[in-house]
């Protein structure tokens, strides 16, 4: 594939483009095992209320970027909702950006209207100024300056962050990492310069996690960097004790408009 300035990029056989340079990156990205666990959680419908809430925000978007999009479930659902509302033949397009090639590989397969790119958000978003209607940042690192640059005026930044009660019933027993309180406070600061009218909706649901789901929900996140698979599997077996555990999803979905 060649861009208008003559740069040539390899499209991997698995359908994604990598924009990482030979130097690589210092940031840690999701592994194949983490992506498999994340896909299993989504495929079981356990995060469906969050996926639906995010997708609804994209009803009138034509160009959607999922920054740190992981294996692509949110982008795929957003594209479906946007296509339903588009009423035009061309329909919406989606661009999934993630540092992990395993995520990009999965996201490339999730939706025919999604383009999947391996890129480091801290190296800048590989998009022109003011061309995007919606940037999604779902449980992902946020580059506020670059998000503001690529959004058109009136475009929206959709940010999903966990609230303190999110998965609270299972965090400690599954040896998962709690989210720092400071993270929530940071959003206001990130929005201050270039965004207006932030509206936050709280999405809450009770979900039943069996032993497999407990293992997957821990293994899809940062706990996988700090604990062995055996440690997480043992914790899941002890917590489920042959049954299942009810836990709360509890997240903020914040939508802010680009000035
Ligand atoms: C907690 S996961 C969330 C994934 C997805 N948004 C979801 O909720 O299913 C965070 C994602 O950010 C990606 N990531 C971490 N650092 C990144 C960076 N510097 N640039 C791009 N993606 C990054 C990881 O590979 C991972 O897929």
């Amino acid at each position: 594939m060649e861009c208008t300035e003559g740069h040539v990029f390899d499209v991997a056989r698995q359908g994604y483009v990598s924009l990482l340079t030979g130097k690589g990156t210092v940031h840690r990205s999701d592994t194949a095992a983490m992506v498999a666990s994340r896909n299993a959680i989504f495929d079981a419908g356990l995060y469906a209320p969050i996926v639906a809430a995010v997708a609804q925000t994209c009803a009138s978007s034509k160009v959607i970027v999922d920054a740190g999009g992981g294996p692509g479930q949110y982008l795929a659902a957003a594209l479906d909702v946007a296509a339903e509302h588009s009423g035009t033949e061309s329909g919406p397009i989606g661009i999934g950006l993630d540092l992990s090639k395993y995520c990009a590989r999965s996201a490339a397969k999730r939706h025919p209207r999604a383009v999947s790119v391996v890129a480091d958000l801290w190296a800048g978003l590989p998009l022109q100024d003011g061309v995007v209607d919606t940037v999604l940042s779902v449980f992902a690192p946020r580059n506020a300056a670059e998000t503001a640059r690529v959004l058109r005026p009136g475009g929206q930044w959709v940010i999903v962050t966990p609230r303190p009660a999110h998965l609270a019933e299972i965090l400690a027993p599954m040896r998962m990492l709690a989210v720092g309180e400071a993270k929530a406070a940071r959003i206001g600061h990130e929005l201050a310069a270039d965004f207006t009218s932030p509206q936050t909706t709280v999405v809450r649901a009770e979900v039943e996690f069996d032993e497999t789901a407990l293992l997957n929900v821990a293994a899809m996140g940062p706990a996988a960097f700090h604990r062995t698979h055996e440690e997480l599997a043992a914790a899941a077996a002890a917590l489920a004790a042959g049954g299942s555990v009810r836990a709360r999803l509890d997240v903020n979905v914040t939508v802010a408009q680009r000035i």
Side-chain angles (χ1 to χ4, degrees):
M1 195 173 88
E2 195 169 330
C3 82
T4 50
E5 289 174 11
H7 300 114
V8 178
F9 305 97
D10 289 336
V11 179
R13 241 181 321 129
Q14 292 88 354
Y16 64 87
V17 179
S18 178
L19 300 183
L20 290 186
T21 60
K23 276 182 279 163
T25 167
V26 294
H27 302 289
R28 226 169 359 176
S29 65
D30 285 13
T31 63
M34 289 165 79
V35 172
S37 287
R38 189 170 289 275
N39 273 327
I41 288 293
F42 283 104
D43 292 345
L46 293 171
Y47 271 38
I50 308 176
V51 175
V54 169
Q56 283 311 319
T57 66
C58 296
S60 49
S61 300
K62 302 269 180 291
V63 180
I64 304 165
V65 169
D66 194 0
Q73 287 84 354
Y74 291 95
L75 184 61
L79 284 168
D80 283 343
V81 169
E84 251 174 58
H85 289 78
S86 85
T88 64
E89 239 169 63
S90 56
I93 61 158
I95 300 131
L97 304 176
D98 203 283
L99 191 53
S100 158
K101 66 178 179 187
Y102 305 106
C103 287
R105 201 174 281 174
S106 168
K109 292 190 213 129
R110 279 267 162 192
H111 203 284
R113 293 192 158 278
V115 176
S116 191
V117 180
V118 180
D120 182 355
L121 300 178
W122 300 120
L125 305 194
L127 292 148
Q128 290 179 359
D129 296 358
V131 293
V132 176
D133 297 309
T134 297
V135 172
L136 304 177
S137 295
V138 184
F139 302 117
R142 298 187 294 273
N143 184 334
E146 278 294 286
T147 301
R149 182 183 65 74
V150 302
L151 279 170
R152 64 166 173 78
Q156 57 176 4
W157 190 7
V158 179
I159 300 172
V160 177
T161 49
R163 295 166 56 81
H166 184 59
L167 302 179
E169 296 83 353
I170 61 177
L171 283 184
M174 284 307 300
R175 311 179 70 191
M176 294 159 73
L177 307 181
V179 198
E181 294 283 328
K183 277 202 175 166
R186 237 184 278 151
I187 290 188
H189 178 69
E190 289 169 31
L191 296 177
D194 298 308
F195 293 86
T196 184
S197 317
Q199 302 278 339
T200 297
T201 308
V202 178
V203 178
R204 287 198 180 98
E206 282 213 356
V207 183
E208 199 87 33
F209 288 88
D210 63 14
E211 183 179 331
T212 305
L214 284 171
L215 174 57
N216 282 326
V217 80
M220 76 182 196
F225 292 130
H226 305 282
R227 315 274 181 236
T228 65
H229 186 81
E230 289 68 31
E231 282 172 335
L232 294 179
L239 183 58
S244 62
V245 176
R246 283 185 89 74
R248 276 169 296 173
L249 304 181
D250 193 353
V251 303
N252 285 335
V253 179
T254 300
V255 182
Q257 313 299 319
R258 175 75 171 99
I259 293 166

